[in-house]
């Protein structure tokens, strides 16, 4: 798998495209920070959509029974291979990592699947 940083200018379009093909894939949300350690916010709930609103600078993770908001995201990484999305990591302005893992990888459409993304090698994964 490859960790790829998404450019902020592509977040809204990337999430819109991924949301169109989610089809209720099951996902979990893990929150990781020095203050709270690692905590599971949601465990294997249907993922209904991912949204980035540039006006309010919020990433919204819409799950069945949960609307998880990530305020002031500073970086977004995706873990993928050539055609499958495995997970996303959103780092907010306070350095809190929020990881959205898909139970089954999501098959991405080939054209534009990686728009605005910069691949990083294993040694360049986010800290």
């Amino acid at each position: 798998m490859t960790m790829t940083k998404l450019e902020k200018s592509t977040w809204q379009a990337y999430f819109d495209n991924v949301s169109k093909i989610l089809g209720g894939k099951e996902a979990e949300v893990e929150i990781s920070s020095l203050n709270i350690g690692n905590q599971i916010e949601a465990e294997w709930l249907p993922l209904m959509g991912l949204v980035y609103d540039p006006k309010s600078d919020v990433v919204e993770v819409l799950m069945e029974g949960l609307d998880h908001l990530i305020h002031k995201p500073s970086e977004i990484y995706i873990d993928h291979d050539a055609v499958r999305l495995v997970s996303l990591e959103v780092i907010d302005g306070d350095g809190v990592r929020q990881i959205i893992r898909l139970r089954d990888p999501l098959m991405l459409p080939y054209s534009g699947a990686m728009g605005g993304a910069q691949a990083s090698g294993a040694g360049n994964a986010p800290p």
Side-chain angles (χ1 to χ4, degrees):
M1 296 294 151
T2 302
M3 289 296 287
T4 303
K5 181 178 180 179
L6 294 179
E7 294 301 315
K8 192 167 188 169
S9 62
T10 67
W11 292 356
Q12 185 174 16
Y14 183 83
F15 286 156
D16 288 350
N17 288 332
V18 167
S19 292
K20 290 177 187 174
I21 58 174
L22 278 174
K25 285 265 189 199
E26 289 186 343
E28 76 173 4
V29 176
E30 178 182 346
I31 302 170
S32 177
S33 79
L34 293 175
N35 294 336
I36 64 169
N38 295 343
Q39 296 185 3
I40 301 296
E41 172 78 10
E43 191 169 13
W44 307 125
L45 296 175
L47 180 60
M48 311 310 286
L50 297 164
V51 177
Y52 174 66
D53 179 4
K55 287 185 180 180
S56 58
D57 198 21
V58 170
V59 170
E60 185 173 10
V61 182
L62 301 159
M63 302 178 85
E64 189 173 284
L66 177 69
D67 188 12
H68 182 74
L69 301 176
I70 304 168
H71 297 277
K72 300 193 182 324
S74 61
E75 299 176 70
I76 297 177
Y77 294 88
I78 58 174
D79 186 8
H80 62 94
D81 62 18
V83 294
R84 296 179 306 159
L85 176 64
V86 176
S87 67
L88 300 109
E89 181 173 338
V90 181
I91 303 170
D92 70 17
D94 295 327
V96 176
R97 297 174 182 279
Q98 306 194 39
I99 303 160
I100 300 97
R101 287 186 189 88
L102 300 173
R103 178 168 276 182
D104 299 312
L106 177 65
M107 295 300 289
L108 296 171
Y110 180 73
S111 63
M114 296 296 298
Q118 295 178 342
S120 61
N124 295 331

